[in-house]
Amino acid sequence: MPNSAAFSHTFAALTVPNFRRYLSGQAVSLTGGWMQGTAQSWLVLTLTHSATLVGVTVAVQTLPVLVLAPYGGVVADRVNKRRMILRLQYLLASQSVILGLMAALGAIRFWSLLLTGLVLGVSSAFENPARQSMLLELVGAKHVGNAVSLYATSINLARVIGPAIAGVLIAAFGVSGCFLINAVSFVPVIVSLARMDENDLRGEPSHNRARSGGLREGLGYVARTPGLAVPLAMMGLVGCLAFEWPVSLPYMADGGLHAGSAGYGFMTAAMSLGSVIGGLVAAGRGWTGPWYLVLSAAGMGIALVPAALAPNLAVELVVLPLVGAGNVMFMSGGNATLQLTASPEMRGRVMALWTVCFQGSTPIGGPLVGAAMSAVGPRAGLGLAAATCLVAAGGGALALRTTATDRAATRQEAPSPSVHQTQPSGDTPEIN
């Protein structure tokens, strides 16, 4: 009975039909997305024989997120999120179809990969904020932490399965099959969105809200709400300098551990396994709040220290699952904290800033981490990640304590108990 209760609690959000359908569709689509990403990197390398141009391709896809995602959040706060995401799925699927057909016909060129990558990046800049902020409307405040953790777990499962399938397909049929299968993988998401019951959405549907200003209003709202500003600042720092695993892990495998490409594959798998386990633990516990982010960032920083100092691959493979678990627990906890803290009319803009901090910082952080490793050595990437997480945890703790002290002083200076000062929602840290 206890095991059954724990299982039910871990997967509680799946009791909501809308979320159950949506997550099932996303699990398929995410796997297809990782297949396409793997095939695209291999294709660029085959066409250009340049690792630098592989990085340029990734930058073209992520720069639009950095620039346009905040405006995507403004749009998400003003329109029907479900319909917006549905329309963008058609665009994303079309991009994959074009890539697949061009690759099959032998007509694909590097410039065409840049162009389709730009389309993917622009679409993601508008799709990500809407998708992230819609989770609370799908499951309600009670299950949002569980839903975010389950979604993060599905991403990490797809990260293991997708590239493995892509490797087999590329060897057997070439890259075109990966692109076309990814196009087909959008069908379950489209079906789930089309069949979604809008009457069963929790919270306040976005298309019923009055317009509440634009990007400037969203930035001002975050700045005066510590429960939002602190997690976003922590994620901005960690996302930029710590979450650059595609840069730090290959260099560590090759130059630090002398384990080659096979070692890199084992390292990625070990970290992904830890992420899946961490995601399930986070789903079962439902921890949220700024103080939880401080603890998870500190834990990840501590785990990264032996990862940076590991003398051989065996030790690295023992430590990396802990890093992966801390990674997903920090991400899912931060995501849920922001969703629960933000007011409904601002949620899209808040989650857009989260997207910028997490995904849009890659064009900045990737080169910085690469430069640090080139200057100091292959272990510098994970060492910088460890230091970044610990600094973020310390800075977050200091900011939260300062905020609590200021609030206490304000209450003591109030001239009368009848005078009430409304605090921004969500600025009281807690671990549920």
Side-chain angles (χ1 to χ4, degrees):
M1 179 65 76
N3 290 334
S4 177
F7 182 87
S8 299
H9 192 62
T10 300
F11 298 96
L14 294 179
T15 60
V16 181
N18 277 340
F19 178 72
R20 185 168 61 248
R21 297 190 197 101
Y22 183 64
L23 185 64
S24 299
Q26 281 289 334
V28 176
S29 183
L30 288 166
T31 303
W34 281 105
M35 291 174 61
Q36 173 161 317
T38 303
Q40 178 178 280
S41 296
W42 181 259
L43 181 57
V44 173
L45 195 60
T46 302
L47 291 173
T48 67
H49 304 287
S50 170
T52 300
L53 292 181
V54 175
V56 169
T57 307
V58 174
V60 167
Q61 293 180 185
T62 53
L63 273 173
V65 176
L66 177 64
V67 177
L68 297 177
Y71 298 96
V74 174
V75 175
D77 281 333
R78 294 181 174 180
V79 303
N80 184 298
K81 292 185 179 70
R82 181 188 69 87
R83 295 173 190 170
M84 176 181 175
I85 298 171
L86 180 58
R87 290 164 184 165
L88 287 170
Q89 300 308 302
Y90 290 112
L91 179 60
L92 291 167
S94 299
Q95 177 251 12
S96 297
V97 170
I98 292 171
L99 276 176
L101 293 177
M102 291 180 67
L105 296 173
I108 202 161
R109 300 293 183 269
F110 178 63
W111 66 264
S112 59
L113 286 171
L114 292 180
L115 182 59
T116 53
L118 183 62
V119 172
L120 175 62
V122 172
S123 301
S124 298
F126 288 88
E127 195 258 0
N128 278 343
R131 172 165 43 85
Q132 296 280 357
S133 57
M134 192 178 71
L135 286 178
L136 190 142
E137 293 181 9
L138 284 175
V139 301
K142 179 181 179 181
H143 294 312
V144 68
N146 183 261
V148 170
S149 297
L150 290 177
Y151 188 79
T153 301
S154 68
I155 291 175
N156 285 285
L157 279 172
R159 185 166 61 181
V160 175
I161 298 170
I165 297 175
V168 174
L169 287 177
I170 292 171
F173 306 107
V175 296
S176 60
C178 295
F179 295 135
L180 294 174
I181 289 175
N182 184 46
V184 175
S185 75
F186 285 98
V187 173
V189 181
I190 292 172
V191 171
S192 71
L193 289 166
R195 295 182 58 197
M196 192 172 289
D197 184 2
E198 287 194 321
N199 295 323
D200 196 35
L201 294 178
R202 318 298 172 92
E204 185 180 356
S206 56
H207 58 286
N208 289 335
R209 299 176 195 145
R211 293 191 176 185
S212 56
L215 178 58
R216 182 178 299 178
E217 287 76 9
L219 293 172
Y221 171 68
V222 168
R224 63 178 179 268
T225 310
L228 298 173
V230 173
L232 282 171
M234 292 176 65
M235 187 60 194
L237 184 60
V238 173
C240 185
L241 296 178
F243 283 179
E244 303 299 339
W245 312 123
V247 177
S248 57
L249 290 184
Y251 280 111
M252 180 63 176
D254 187 37
L257 300 173
H258 308 291
S261 58
Y264 171 53
F266 284 123
M267 289 166 64
T268 302
M271 191 167 172
S272 298
L273 176 62
S275 297
V276 171
I277 295 172
L280 292 175
V281 170
R285 297 295 183 178
W287 290 321
T288 61
W291 280 107
Y292 168 64
L293 294 188
V294 169
L295 294 175
S296 58
M300 182 164 52
I302 293 171
L304 277 163
V305 172
L309 300 175
N312 53 54
L313 181 62
V315 174
E316 192 73 90
L317 294 180
V318 171
V319 177
L320 280 179
L322 299 177
V323 176
N327 181 0
V328 75
M329 292 174 81
F330 179 82
M331 286 193 302
S332 60
N335 189 310
T337 296
L338 293 178
Q339 299 227 36
L340 290 170
T341 303
S343 58
E345 69 276 7
M346 291 288 184
R347 192 173 296 125
R349 274 162 282 190
V350 171
M351 299 314 298
L353 293 176
W354 174 261
T355 300
V356 169
C357 291
F358 172 51
Q359 185 178 353
S361 61
T362 296
I364 300 172
L368 290 176
V369 173
M373 298 177 79
S374 297
V376 180
R379 297 178 182 272
L382 295 180
L384 178 59
T388 299
C389 291
L390 294 174
V391 168
L398 180 61
L400 292 172
R401 288 191 180 280
T402 301
T403 300
T405 301
D406 291 343
R407 290 209 320 265
T410 300
R411 284 195 295 267
Q412 290 176 359
E413 294 173 2
S416 169
S418 63
V419 178
H420 175 70
Q421 181 176 353
T422 302
Q423 297 294 334
S425 61
D427 58 354
T428 301
E430 62 177 323
I431 298 178
N432 294 329

